[in-house]
Amino acid sequence: MKTYLTKQFYGDYGDRESVKESSGIAADSARDWPLWEVFVRSKMGLDHKHVGSLHAADARMAIENARDVYTRRQEGISIWVVESRHIHASNPDDAASFYDPADDKVYRHPTFYELPDELKAM
Amino acid sequence: MEKNGTIQLETIFQDRIDQEIRIEPKDWMPDKYRQTLIRQISQHAHSEIVGMLPEGNWITRAPSLKRKATLIAKVQDEAGHGLYLYSAAETLGISRAEMINQLHSGKAKYSSIFNYPTLTWADIGAIGWLVDGAAIMNQVPLCRTSYGPYARAMVRICKEESFHQRQGFEILLTLSRGTDAQKAMCQDAINRWWWPSVMMFGPSDEASPHTAQSMRWKIKRFTNDELRQKFVDICAEQVKILEMHLPDPDLKWNEKRGHYDFGPINWDEFWQVIGGNGPCNKERLAARIKAHEDGAWVREAASAFAAKQQQKQKAAVA
């Protein structure tokens, strides 16, 4: 079976570079703390939404920094952080073939079905 | 073969740009596009960070608790803006540490406006009105720039900048309704900040060789001179509310153009300040480097703490 998911790194590095494996807890001037992606729920009943990324030594620090950076004006009531290296993503180069199974299935949309106007509320 | 492949990719890339489809980090992009963005976004980030210095200067001397709280909030916003932009630049393949090194070594530039001193409290008002006003003029079109992460960062920044500009104008408005000394202070700050703010839009279009390519790639949406004219037109009206004047004897409404005409810009001063000879270049960079070095123990402590917690967790699992 063909595997569609390749490991991609959203934030830290460009598409050609590979990311260093160790999450490391680097602090010297040449290396950065690990990168974290931040997701914020703006109010109860809504999904957590990706808002950006930041560097932090650990998860707790990432959450505290995310609060200071992304919720200074009451933009959130809940924060998720996940280390960027743990995010897997589909590959944009494969987008055409990856999503094409949905291209010819218009019958999945309600507007595909022609029904008389007398039919209300459907 | 290889070359044809690249040309084809460039055609596809330009097509996407022309169709207003945003470019995302893992999409193919010309090296030059990547480099231009890294330079522009990191410079922008550095400007936010260095921009904290002239204003931070007045936090302890703000005239009331309200002004102090506002100024702290504003300076904190600038730090946030720097972070959004550094993050956006990092998606292009440059590390945060590398960008910081470039700033500290003088290899990377930041907006030359921050090399001017903040001499009086009125300067904080003038910075909000004029400097942030010019920044907003530049930044609003960047919310539609072709690189997705940059555009998203700009949306966030623009939302916050409008408070900055309003608080600045309010400071000047209060001074302009005050004693004669306060009025004089207000006019003096406007006199000193006007021309550097006009220069913030960068060299004129004829002297800006990269503009055409940046416009084609839709990194930029308007030329430097277009934005500068818009800024002058708006400020020339707003200054009337302050009952002050802009320090330009040639400033005059031109009915035919539908714009204000304005006097010649001292480009020599502009290039001098960019070249490192502004009033505060050395001081700003030294303060920035000192802040970074003084913070080293905090970074080390955070790392040591994280390592210890990780080890504790491992021990607990075992």
Side-chain angles (χ1 to χ4, degrees), chain B residues 148-196:
Chain B
Y150 190 23
R152 291 192 286 274
M154 291 318 305
V155 169
R156 202 174 286 284
I157 289 173
C158 285
K159 267 188 204 157
E160 300 181 353
E161 283 289 347
S162 90
F163 133 62
H164 297 181
Q165 198 190 13
R166 290 172 69 97
Q167 68 89 35
F169 197 83
E170 194 208 23
I171 290 173
L172 293 184
L173 192 65
T174 307
L175 289 171
S176 74
R177 302 284 183 268
T179 63
D180 285 348
Q182 286 171 323
K183 284 180 189 166
M185 193 199 251
C186 179
Q187 183 62 58
D188 168 63
I190 294 171
N191 290 350
R192 282 182 291 106
W193 287 93
W194 172 247
W195 286 109

Side-chain angles (χ1 to χ4, degrees), chain A residues 69, chain B residues 41-57 74-87 96 99-100 103-104 109-111 114 139 157 161 284-285 287-289 291-292:
Chain A
V69 179
Chain B
I41 302 173
S42 67
Q43 271 183 17
H44 192 163
H46 298 327
S47 302
E48 300 284 355
I49 298 301
V50 177
M52 295 161 79
L53 298 170
E55 293 189 291
N57 196 24
K74 177 172 192 280
V75 171
Q76 199 186 12
D77 273 355
E78 310 295 3
H81 297 177
L83 183 126
Y84 307 152
L85 290 162
Y86 281 131
S87 299
R96 180 81 57 94
M99 284 186 276
I100 303 288
L103 172 65
H104 292 176
K109 300 271 183 260
Y110 54 87
S111 178
F114 301 117
Q139 289 168 352
I157 289 173
E161 283 289 347
R284 298 286 184 247
L285 211 51
R288 181 64 208 110
I289 292 169
H292 188 71

Side-chain angles (χ1 to χ4, degrees), chain A residues 42-57:
Chain A
S42 59
K43 64 179 199 187
M44 294 304 274
L46 294 182
D47 294 322
H48 285 77
K49 189 167 169 269
H50 183 248
V51 293
S53 53
L54 49 77
H55 292 276

